[in-house]
């Protein structure tokens, strides 16, 4: 059974810092991995999707990497801003779009 | 593209009552998903439709839960005889085949 773990559960950083969020999964037979952002009381916004054949994806200040063999992904946020404060969720997909989510990392960027 | 729309945004109900939620997916999307998210947890898969056919249901979806997508467009999720443990955010998402999911803002259910 696929399990997804995210570390740390919460993170507080001063504005301008670069930071890394971690995601690990137990079954390497995945179709893709996605990172989402969730603001309080809201739905999920897709940030980056990495296909199983890819090693990384970049969008603006965000970079996500995938190491399928070790069951790990990282989300790197450069030059963090207070507007980045949110919960970040990673999810793996076994090719049915039945995503398995981690419990998220709650990020607070202090001005 | 107006995004995935869910109604209502919030629902407060007493234990034992029935509730129904609606989801309107992005118009050209053929797949529609329901997830449930409790406080401090990631979303958990409940069920999904391809067009009007319900193709998979999670074991989380007890007999009190039923979902429909009668014309392959909008979907409804009904919970009968609600229990306090049903309190959660119910999220709907849609996709075109296996393209990335687009999520709605969810319906927050509180059972008192």
């Amino acid at each position: 059974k696929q399990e997804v773990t995210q570390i740390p559960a919460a993170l507080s950083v001063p504005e301008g810092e670069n930071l890394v969020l971690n995601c690990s999964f137990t079954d390497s037979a995945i179709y893709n991995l996605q990172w989402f952002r969730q603001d309080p009381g809201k739905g999920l916004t897709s940030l980056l999707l990495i296909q199983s054949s890819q090693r990384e994806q970049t969008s603006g200040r965000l970079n996500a990497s995938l190491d399928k063999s070790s069951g790990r992904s990282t989300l790197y946020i450069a030059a963090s801003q207070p507007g980045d404060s949110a919960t970040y969720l990673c999810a793996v997909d076994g090719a049915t779009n039945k995503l398995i989510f981690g419990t998220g990392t709650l990020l607070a960027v202090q001005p | 593209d107006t995004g995935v729309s869910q109604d209502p945004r919030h629902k407060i109900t007493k234990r034992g009552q029935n509730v129904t939620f609606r989801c309107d997916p992005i118009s050209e999307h053929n797949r529609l998903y329901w997830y449930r998210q409790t406080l401090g947890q990631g979303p958990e898969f409940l069920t999904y439709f391809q067009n009007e056919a319900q193709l998979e249901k999670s074991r989380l979806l007890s007999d009190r839960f039923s979902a429909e997508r009668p014309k392959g467009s909008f979907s409804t999720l009904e919970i009968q005889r609600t229990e306090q443990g049903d309190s959660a955010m119910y999220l709907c998402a849609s996709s075109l085949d296996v393209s990335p999911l687009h999520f709605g803002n969810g319906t927050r259910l509180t059972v008192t």
Side-chain angles (χ1 to χ4, degrees):
Chain A
K1 178 188 170 187
Q2 178 73 270
E3 293 183 0
V4 180
T5 303
Q6 291 187 245
I7 294 173
L11 181 64
S12 180
V13 300
E15 181 176 4
E17 272 204 7
N18 303 326
L19 59 100
V20 175
L21 308 181
N22 297 291
C23 173
S24 61
F25 47 96
T26 54
D27 185 350
S28 62
I30 64 170
Y31 184 68
N32 62 47
L33 183 145
Q34 297 182 57
W35 283 93
F36 293 89
R37 169 187 173 136
Q38 187 173 32
D39 292 292
K42 297 291 181 68
L44 281 64
T45 301
S46 180
L47 297 173
L48 290 165
L49 182 150
I50 313 176
Q51 300 289 354
S52 62
S53 58
Q54 297 175 320
R55 294 298 297 253
E56 65 178 332
Q57 282 286 336
T58 298
S59 176
R61 294 182 293 108
L62 305 179
N63 175 276
S65 69
L66 174 64
D67 184 342
K68 228 177 61 161
S69 61
S70 67
R72 294 182 181 180
S73 176
T74 61
L75 179 66
Y76 174 82
I77 302 177
S80 58
Q81 302 171 357
D84 295 330
S85 298
T87 296
Y88 290 80
L89 293 153
C90 82
V92 297
D93 177 11
T96 64
N97 263 8
K98 190 171 68 175
L99 299 180
I100 308 296
F101 284 85
T103 52
T105 294
L106 177 61
L107 173 65
V109 180
Q110 308 300 329
Chain B
D1 180 358
T2 58
V4 178
S5 177
Q6 292 189 246
D7 183 69
R9 289 296 314 277
H10 304 275
K11 178 70 177 179
I12 300 174
T13 191
K14 292 184 178 180
R15 189 176 53 189
Q17 297 295 305
N18 299 343
V19 293
T20 300
F21 311 140
R22 177 180 170 124
C23 171
D24 287 90
I26 293 172
S27 58
E28 64 267 26
H29 285 182
N30 57 349
R31 291 191 179 187
L32 186 148
Y33 299 77
W34 287 98
Y35 284 79
R36 180 173 70 185
Q37 185 178 25
T38 53
L39 204 59
Q41 301 297 312
E44 296 174 293
F45 170 82
L46 292 179
T47 188
Y48 94 94
F49 294 83
Q50 175 137 338
N51 301 312
E52 66 275 11
Q54 188 173 16
L55 295 187
E56 189 166 351
K57 293 168 61 172
S58 162
R59 285 175 292 179
L60 294 175
L61 217 63
S62 76
D63 291 345
R64 296 184 297 105
F65 287 70
S66 63
E68 294 182 345
R69 195 183 183 199
K71 296 182 181 179
S73 56
F74 72 92
S75 176
T76 58
L77 177 67
E78 180 183 17
I79 309 174
Q80 296 182 328
R81 304 181 304 282
T82 51
E83 302 172 356
Q84 287 187 322
D86 297 331
S87 296
M89 174 80 88
Y90 290 84
L91 294 163
C92 176
S94 69
S95 71
L96 181 61
D97 295 321
V98 293
S99 66
L101 296 187
H102 294 252
F103 280 84
N105 280 328
T107 292
R108 179 163 294 286
L109 173 66
T110 302
V111 181
T112 62

